[in-house]
Every structure is written in C-alpha cells, then in structure tokens.
C-alpha cells in the first residue's frame, strides 16, 4: 500500500516527512584486516577473497570496487558459504545498478521501500534544492534542483525512509554536513524534468 499523500505544496502532492540516509560504492581499499572472506557469484563461484570488513560493507552498500578495479553489484541472496549470504556479479557500470537494471547516479538516485515509493517514481525534495553537491563534474559540483528518482531499494530500507546515493563515502560526510537534516519533506516530482 502506498503511503497516503498528506498535503499539497510546491504544486505537487506531499508524500510526507522521510528519514534521509546515505549510501555509496564500498571501496575495498578502505577495509582493514586479513583477506579471509569469500565473495561469491550466484553460481557459488568465487569472485574474490577479501576482508570481512569489506564484505560487510559491500553487502550493506550493494555495490563495491575491489582493489584490482573490478566493480561488483548485488545479484541475489544465495546459499554459498552461509545460507542467505548476498551473491554478487561483476558489472561495467562505475556506480552500480539498482533494481530493474536501473543505473545509479550520484545525487540523483534514491533507494526506497517500493510499498511506499514505487521504483521509478520521480520525487522532489525541497531541502536539496539549491544545495551545492560535493565532488567533481559531471557527478558532483552542481547546484541541486531537488529532483531524485527511486532507482533502488535495500533490505534495510523500510517505510518513510529514503537512502540518498552519494557515490563515494567521503562525499557523504560533506553533503550530510551541508544538509544537517535527519528528515526531509518529500513531494511528487511534477516539477522535475
């Protein structure tokens, strides 16, 4: 069931107030420890051996870059190693792939609970409008217009929560400091291109 639209503002229906969290591409170079954890594909083939810290980060973020430059993306839950462990696949896309094969775009993609915000929904977040996004063009270094798209979902995303894709962990710290908001109002994206 979709979240009941609660009011009208900015010319669009309001979805309401949402918790705003962040996610990014996990980087194996950030993980410390001995390589002692296997990364599996959906056929239980080994894609690599890494630290448990990186495997946890990869499972949480859904996309990660190995030290050798390969990009891995969540593929499915599988029975390799421990039952229910996530399995991954190699991808060519720099930022990862969300649900239904949707390409993730830094500062434009959000993960949502599809029962609340269906995949593909364009949203307008006034708190993002006018905020400079960190990083270098074309992925950062621009003034946001408040428009985002529900391109992904996550196992930990539920209810009135949006997980804002920021590309890299270091950029999360910058944008979180600029926004200083744990919750934001979310509206339908009628004003968005």
């Amino acid at each position: 069931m979709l979240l009941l639209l609660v009011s009208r503002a900015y010319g669009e229906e309001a979805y309401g107030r949402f918790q705003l969290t962040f996610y990014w591409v996990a980087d194996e170079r950030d993980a410390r420890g001995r390589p002692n954890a296997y990364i599996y594909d959906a056929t239980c083939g080994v894609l690599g051996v890494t630290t448990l810290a990186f495997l946890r980060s990869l499972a949480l973020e859904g996309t990660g870059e190995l030290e050798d430059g390969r990009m891995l993306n969540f593929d499915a839950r599988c029975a390799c190693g421990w039952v229910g462990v996530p399995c991954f696949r190699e991808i060519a896309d720099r930022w990862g792939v969300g649900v239904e094969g949707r390409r993730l775009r830094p500062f434009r993609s959000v993960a949502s609970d599809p029962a609340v915000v269906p995949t593909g929904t364009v949203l307008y977040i006034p708190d993002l409008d006018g905020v400079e996004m960190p990083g270098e063009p074309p992925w950062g270094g621009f003034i946001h217009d408040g428009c985002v798209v529900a391109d992904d979902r996550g196992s930990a995303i539920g209810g009135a929560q949006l997980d804002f894709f920021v590309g890299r962990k270091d950029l999360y710290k910058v944008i979180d400091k600029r926004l200083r908001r744990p919750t934001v109002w979310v509206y339908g994206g009628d004003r968005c291109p």
Side-chain angles (χ1 to χ4, degrees), residues 5-160:
L5 298 177
V6 293
S7 68
R8 210 167 167 71
Y10 301 103
E12 293 104 3
E13 297 291 332
Y15 280 85
R17 188 165 283 284
F18 279 61
Q19 178 186 8
L20 185 66
T21 55
F22 303 90
Y23 73 117
W24 49 83
V25 174
D27 190 332
E28 189 177 29
R29 293 170 293 238
D30 293 339
R32 306 228 189 288
R34 269 187 33 242
N36 59 359
Y38 292 97
I39 303 172
Y40 294 103
D41 67 17
T43 67
C44 295
V46 175
L47 293 170
V49 180
T50 190
T51 64
L52 187 55
F54 176 69
L55 183 58
R56 286 180 177 148
S57 181
L58 178 61
L60 179 65
E61 305 305 335
T63 304
E65 183 176 4
L66 298 175
E67 282 187 33
D68 64 13
R70 289 181 294 152
M71 293 294 293
L72 302 180
N73 206 92
F74 174 81
D75 191 24
R77 296 269 173 220
C78 53
C80 310
W82 300 299
V83 175
V85 71
C87 286
F88 298 89
R89 62 187 165 98
E90 287 188 46
I91 59 169
D93 192 281
R94 172 182 182 174
W95 298 114
V97 180
V99 294
E100 300 173 3
R102 302 176 73 86
R103 295 182 75 190
L104 297 180
R105 297 168 297 147
F107 307 115
R108 292 294 179 190
S109 295
V110 295
S112 66
D113 178 344
V116 177
V117 177
T119 301
T121 300
V122 177
L123 302 169
Y124 174 66
I125 302 173
D127 287 320
L128 289 175
D129 199 345
V131 176
E132 183 179 357
M133 297 297 107
E136 298 297 319
W139 308 111
F142 65 93
I143 304 299
H144 209 286
D145 59 5
C147 298
V148 297
V149 180
D151 288 323
D152 206 0
R153 68 176 171 252
S155 60
I157 305 299

